[in-house]
Amino acid sequence: MPRPRPLVIGHRGAPGYRPEHSRSSYDLAVAMGVDAVEPDVVVSRDGVLVVRHENEIGSTTDVSTRPEFADRRTTKTIDGAELTGWFTEDFTWDELATLRCRERLPQLRPTSASFDDEQPVLRLRDVLDLIRGASLEQGREIGVVLEIKHATYFAGLGFDISALVAEELADAGWSRGELPLVVESFESTVLARLKARGIPATYIYLLEAAGRPFDLLSAHGKAALTYRQTAAPAGLDALVGAVDGISVDKRMILSPDRLGRATGPSPVVADAHARGLRVFTWTCRPENAFLVAQFRTKGGAGAFGDYESEWSIIRDAGVDGVFVDQPDLGLAFFRG
């Protein structure tokens, strides 16, 4: 049988080489040939969809060095976790636009950190326009995998993030299905609301390796299904017709034991495929810090380990899409 050829998705662009969610990160991912890029979206105080991995931006921008914003540092509880820092919802877009991107893992990725403080924070609209332009320039369809972050939290602040996303997609010309669009979230309720608005997209439910989704936990307490229960056959049955697929933490495929040794592939991919659901996985990274124990090699956390052996398990499981931080390595492996 021929090997599966999953979509290769630039996770926040190409953050193995440039600060995540920066313009150069997306440009590099597109130049390397990814099938799609993945922007995460959060909300500013004035309702602008901002591209950041989290609404806390102390570690991914230069906000901590800006004296005019020192008094914005605060502590909040986000999805049940207490965080201290600076949060997008406390800034207008005009203020956020003055900030510059920084590498989130500077000790691990010093080359990427050398590009710190050079590039502004982006809006979702900026990424949509960038990808549309790149598709025309390269003469191929490049997709966007749009991850909606903390929808329940932002609803508590008065923001209907599904309405904001639908409006932005319409304004940017992405609501007619002309270019590939995937919408994903760890909260199924926001996916359902956006789907009900008729946005043509592939809807993917993100699943952590542990815990419960915050929207269902807020509504049902400990009666809410865990992510692992959702990935079991009965949980997958309930997803049929509600979403088009799932995107799982790679550990759910690798099934590491207590010593960190992979015992997979697990049945989750086959179980989902048997029900007509697509399966993506995140995140394929080559550095030792991110590999399961048996594939780590000498050289420290930032050195590349035996990533190809780990990725072989993921590829052979038959996934439909992989998120990668180094698009060149991902394309060479999964398309080679």
Side-chain angles (χ1 to χ4, degrees):
M1 287 181 61
R3 289 175 175 173
R5 294 171 60 87
L7 294 174
V8 177
I9 303 160
H11 181 236
R12 311 172 201 162
Y17 305 118
R18 301 290 188 275
E20 65 186 29
H21 292 314
S22 65
R23 173 65 188 249
S24 67
S25 184
Y26 287 112
D27 283 342
L28 184 57
V30 168
M32 287 177 167
V34 294
D35 298 302
V37 298
E38 185 242 15
D40 303 307
V41 295
V42 292
V43 185
S44 72
R45 188 169 71 195
D46 48 348
V48 175
L49 293 172
V50 182
V51 176
R52 289 284 91 194
H53 174 51
E54 296 290 345
N55 56 326
E56 198 293 299
I57 55 174
S59 64
T60 60
T61 73
D62 64 346
V63 67
S64 65
T65 70
R66 302 286 294 274
E68 67 271 34
F69 299 135
D71 62 350
R72 309 278 178 97
R73 189 172 188 268
T74 188
T75 298
K76 300 188 180 192
T77 300
I78 312 296
D79 294 1
E82 188 174 277
L83 297 173
T84 297
W86 291 262
F87 298 84
T88 57
E89 64 270 21
D90 296 331
F91 295 78
T92 66
W93 165 247
D94 286 346
E95 291 172 327
L96 290 170
T98 69
L99 301 179
R100 295 297 179 262
C101 299
R102 285 188 171 180
E103 168 56 46
R104 186 170 55 90
L105 304 168
Q107 301 302 316
L108 195 69
R109 293 173 170 171
T111 300
S112 176
S114 71
F115 293 89
D116 281 359
D117 301 343
E118 294 182 359
Q119 301 164 80
V121 172
L122 301 176
R123 302 165 299 173
L124 174 60
R125 180 60 183 269
D126 297 322
V127 176
L128 295 174
D129 290 348
L130 183 160
I131 297 304
R132 178 183 293 280
S135 296
L136 291 171
E137 181 180 344
Q138 295 191 13
R140 66 185 182 95
E141 290 187 342
I142 305 171
V144 166
V145 180
L146 168 59
E147 182 179 346
I148 298 173
K149 305 299 288 276
H150 307 304
T152 298
Y153 169 78
F154 282 114
L157 301 179
F159 295 106
D160 181 347
I161 202 166
S162 66
L164 294 174
V165 168
E167 181 180 357
E168 190 76 280
L169 291 171
D171 288 347
W174 276 76
S175 61
R176 298 186 295 272
E178 296 173 353
L179 288 170
L181 175 66
V182 175
V183 181
E184 62 179 10
S185 179
F186 288 103
E187 300 185 29
S188 59
T189 50
V190 71
L191 295 177
R193 288 195 294 269
L194 195 57
K195 188 176 182 180
R197 292 178 179 275
I199 300 298
T202 298
Y203 289 87
I204 299 291
Y205 190 19
L206 285 159
L207 302 181
E208 293 268 17
R212 290 178 170 86
F214 187 69
D215 57 337
L216 301 184
L217 181 63
S218 298
H220 307 296
K222 291 188 177 180
L225 289 182
T226 66
Y227 285 119
R228 283 201 171 272
Q229 288 171 325
T230 301
L236 294 172
D237 286 341
L239 296 182
V240 175
V243 294
D244 299 300
I246 58 175
S247 184
V248 301
D249 184 324
K250 68 178 183 178
R251 291 175 294 172
M252 297 175 74
I253 297 173
L254 297 170
S255 298
D257 61 19
R258 287 190 293 180
L259 297 177
R261 297 171 301 199
T263 62
S266 75
V268 64
V269 178
D271 287 345
H273 283 170
R275 292 159 176 79
L277 297 169
R278 301 178 71 186
V279 183
F280 295 171
T281 192
W282 45 275
T283 302
C284 288
R285 297 164 165 141
E287 294 100 338
N288 282 321
F290 303 114
L291 299 175
V292 295
Q294 76 201 75
F295 301 126
R296 296 171 191 159
T297 58
K298 296 179 180 179
F304 288 6
D306 183 15
Y307 66 90
E308 291 183 327
S309 292
E310 182 182 278
W311 295 6
S312 292
I313 298 172
I314 293 168
R315 178 197 61 205
D316 295 346
V319 295
D320 302 291
V322 293
F323 292 86
V324 298
D325 280 8
Q326 288 88 351
D328 55 339
L329 300 183
L331 287 161
F333 182 85
F334 290 104
R335 296 296 176 82

